[in-house]
mmCIF file of all heavy atoms in Angstrom:
data_model
loop_
_atom_site.group_PDB
_atom_site.id
_atom_site.type_symbol
_atom_site.label_atom_id
_atom_site.label_comp_id
_atom_site.label_asym_id
_atom_site.label_seq_id
_atom_site.Cartn_x
_atom_site.Cartn_y
_atom_site.Cartn_z
ATOM 1 N N LEU A 106 119.812 90.587 109.306
ATOM 2 C CA LEU A 106 118.819 91.304 108.492
ATOM 3 C C LEU A 106 117.777 90.364 107.886
ATOM 4 O O LEU A 106 116.997 90.757 107.023
ATOM 5 C CB LEU A 106 119.471 92.154 107.389
ATOM 6 C CG LEU A 106 120.420 93.258 107.851
ATOM 7 C CD1 LEU A 106 120.901 94.070 106.644
ATOM 8 C CD2 LEU A 106 119.764 94.180 108.866
ATOM 9 N N GLN A 107 117.778 89.115 108.369
ATOM 10 C CA GLN A 107 116.775 88.162 107.865
ATOM 11 C C GLN A 107 115.446 88.365 108.600
ATOM 12 O O GLN A 107 115.430 88.649 109.804
ATOM 13 C CB GLN A 107 117.245 86.720 108.087
ATOM 14 C CG GLN A 107 118.430 86.336 107.232
ATOM 15 C CD GLN A 107 118.163 86.558 105.749
ATOM 16 O OE1 GLN A 107 117.211 86.021 105.193
ATOM 17 N NE2 GLN A 107 119.008 87.366 105.122
ATOM 18 N N PRO A 108 114.314 88.226 107.886
ATOM 19 C CA PRO A 108 113.020 88.391 108.543
ATOM 20 C C PRO A 108 112.698 87.209 109.458
ATOM 21 O O PRO A 108 113.012 86.068 109.130
ATOM 22 C CB PRO A 108 112.039 88.440 107.364
ATOM 23 C CG PRO A 108 112.724 87.697 106.270
ATOM 24 C CD PRO A 108 114.200 87.904 106.452
ATOM 25 N N VAL A 109 112.064 87.523 110.592
ATOM 26 C CA VAL A 109 111.614 86.482 111.522
ATOM 27 C C VAL A 109 110.101 86.620 111.650
ATOM 28 O O VAL A 109 109.597 87.639 112.115
ATOM 29 C CB VAL A 109 112.275 86.644 112.906
ATOM 30 C CG1 VAL A 109 111.807 85.539 113.841
ATOM 31 C CG2 VAL A 109 113.795 86.661 112.779
ATOM 32 N N TYR A 110 109.385 85.584 111.201
ATOM 33 C CA TYR A 110 107.918 85.610 111.185
ATOM 34 C C TYR A 110 107.427 85.135 112.544
ATOM 35 O O TYR A 110 107.781 84.060 112.990
ATOM 36 C CB TYR A 110 107.427 84.669 110.081
ATOM 37 C CG TYR A 110 106.031 84.945 109.595
ATOM 38 C CD1 TYR A 110 105.822 85.752 108.484
ATOM 39 C CD2 TYR A 110 104.930 84.402 110.221
ATOM 40 C CE1 TYR A 110 104.540 86.016 108.026
ATOM 41 C CE2 TYR A 110 103.645 84.661 109.764
ATOM 42 C CZ TYR A 110 103.461 85.471 108.668
ATOM 43 O OH TYR A 110 102.194 85.735 108.210
ATOM 44 N N TYR A 111 106.598 85.933 113.232
ATOM 45 C CA TYR A 111 106.180 85.491 114.571
ATOM 46 C C TYR A 111 104.684 85.498 114.800
ATOM 47 O O TYR A 111 104.229 85.025 115.848
ATOM 48 C CB TYR A 111 106.874 86.315 115.668
ATOM 49 C CG TYR A 111 106.538 87.795 115.703
ATOM 50 C CD1 TYR A 111 105.428 88.272 116.397
ATOM 51 C CD2 TYR A 111 107.346 88.718 115.050
ATOM 52 C CE1 TYR A 111 105.129 89.623 116.437
ATOM 53 C CE2 TYR A 111 107.052 90.076 115.077
ATOM 54 C CZ TYR A 111 105.934 90.518 115.779
ATOM 55 O OH TYR A 111 105.641 91.853 115.807
ATOM 56 N N TYR A 112 103.876 86.004 113.874
ATOM 57 C CA TYR A 112 102.437 86.014 114.158
ATOM 58 C C TYR A 112 101.585 86.092 112.900
ATOM 59 O O TYR A 112 101.892 86.861 111.989
ATOM 60 C CB TYR A 112 102.074 87.225 115.038
ATOM 61 C CG TYR A 112 100.582 87.308 115.314
ATOM 62 C CD1 TYR A 112 99.994 86.502 116.286
ATOM 63 C CD2 TYR A 112 99.769 88.153 114.571
ATOM 64 C CE1 TYR A 112 98.619 86.554 116.513
ATOM 65 C CE2 TYR A 112 98.394 88.206 114.797
ATOM 66 C CZ TYR A 112 97.831 87.400 115.773
ATOM 67 O OH TYR A 112 96.486 87.440 115.992
ATOM 68 N N ASP A 113 100.544 85.296 112.861
ATOM 69 C CA ASP A 113 99.379 85.579 112.032
ATOM 70 C C ASP A 113 98.260 84.709 112.573
ATOM 71 O O ASP A 113 98.503 83.798 113.384
ATOM 72 C CB ASP A 113 99.600 85.344 110.527
ATOM 73 C CG ASP A 113 99.762 83.883 110.171
ATOM 74 O OD1 ASP A 113 98.921 83.057 110.558
ATOM 75 O OD2 ASP A 113 100.759 83.557 109.482
ATOM 76 N N LYS A 114 97.040 85.007 112.191
ATOM 77 C CA LYS A 114 95.893 84.199 112.637
ATOM 78 C C LYS A 114 94.897 84.130 111.490
ATOM 79 O O LYS A 114 93.733 84.493 111.625
ATOM 80 C CB LYS A 114 95.268 84.846 113.875
ATOM 81 C CG LYS A 114 94.556 83.869 114.787
ATOM 82 C CD LYS A 114 94.363 84.461 116.166
ATOM 83 C CE LYS A 114 93.754 83.456 117.129
ATOM 84 N NZ LYS A 114 92.321 83.476 117.183
ATOM 85 N N PHE A 115 95.404 83.690 110.333
ATOM 86 C CA PHE A 115 94.543 83.608 109.165
ATOM 87 C C PHE A 115 93.511 82.492 109.348
ATOM 88 O O PHE A 115 93.781 81.488 110.003
ATOM 89 C CB PHE A 115 95.373 83.328 107.903
ATOM 90 C CG PHE A 115 96.267 84.473 107.505
ATOM 91 C CD1 PHE A 115 97.610 84.268 107.264
ATOM 92 C CD2 PHE A 115 95.764 85.757 107.364
ATOM 93 C CE1 PHE A 115 98.443 85.314 106.889
ATOM 94 C CE2 PHE A 115 96.587 86.813 106.994
ATOM 95 C CZ PHE A 115 97.927 86.584 106.752
ATOM 96 N N SER A 116 92.359 82.696 108.701
ATOM 97 C CA SER A 116 91.328 81.657 108.712
ATOM 98 C C SER A 116 91.778 80.508 107.794
ATOM 99 O O SER A 116 92.767 80.636 107.068
ATOM 100 C CB SER A 116 90.011 82.257 108.204
ATOM 101 O OG SER A 116 90.245 82.926 106.978
ATOM 102 N N ALA A 117 91.007 79.416 107.823
ATOM 103 C CA ALA A 117 91.399 78.256 107.015
ATOM 104 C C ALA A 117 91.419 78.609 105.526
ATOM 105 O O ALA A 117 92.345 78.259 104.802
ATOM 106 C CB ALA A 117 90.443 77.105 107.287
ATOM 107 N N GLU A 118 90.391 79.336 105.091
ATOM 108 C CA GLU A 118 90.309 79.745 103.683
ATOM 109 C C GLU A 118 90.424 81.258 103.587
ATOM 110 O O GLU A 118 89.982 81.961 104.493
ATOM 111 C CB GLU A 118 88.941 79.334 103.095
ATOM 112 C CG GLU A 118 88.689 77.838 103.089
ATOM 113 C CD GLU A 118 89.662 77.112 102.176
ATOM 114 O OE1 GLU A 118 90.035 77.683 101.129
ATOM 115 O OE2 GLU A 118 90.044 75.978 102.519
ATOM 116 N N PRO A 119 90.997 81.774 102.495
ATOM 117 C CA PRO A 119 91.089 83.231 102.377
ATOM 118 C C PRO A 119 89.702 83.853 102.247
ATOM 119 O O PRO A 119 88.814 83.262 101.614
ATOM 120 C CB PRO A 119 91.907 83.445 101.103
ATOM 121 C CG PRO A 119 91.735 82.198 100.326
ATOM 122 C CD PRO A 119 91.535 81.086 101.322
ATOM 123 N N THR A 120 89.513 85.021 102.843
ATOM 124 C CA THR A 120 88.202 85.684 102.826
ATOM 125 C C THR A 120 88.254 86.988 102.034
ATOM 126 O O THR A 120 87.274 87.723 101.999
ATOM 127 C CB THR A 120 87.762 85.996 104.267
ATOM 128 O OG1 THR A 120 88.819 86.743 104.887
ATOM 129 C CG2 THR A 120 87.508 84.736 105.062
ATOM 130 N N ILE A 121 89.395 87.271 101.431
ATOM 131 C CA ILE A 121 89.569 88.540 100.699
ATOM 132 C C ILE A 121 90.021 88.249 99.268
ATOM 133 O O ILE A 121 90.628 87.215 99.005
ATOM 134 C CB ILE A 121 90.601 89.459 101.400
ATOM 135 C CG1 ILE A 121 91.923 88.715 101.623
ATOM 136 C CG2 ILE A 121 90.030 89.991 102.719
ATOM 137 C CD1 ILE A 121 93.022 89.560 102.227
#
Side-chain angles (χ1 to χ4, degrees):
L106 299 184
Q107 292 305 303
V109 181
Y110 201 94
Y111 64 86
Y112 178 79
D113 69 52
K114 207 162 185 269
F115 292 129
S116 51
E118 298 295 325
T120 54
I121 54 176

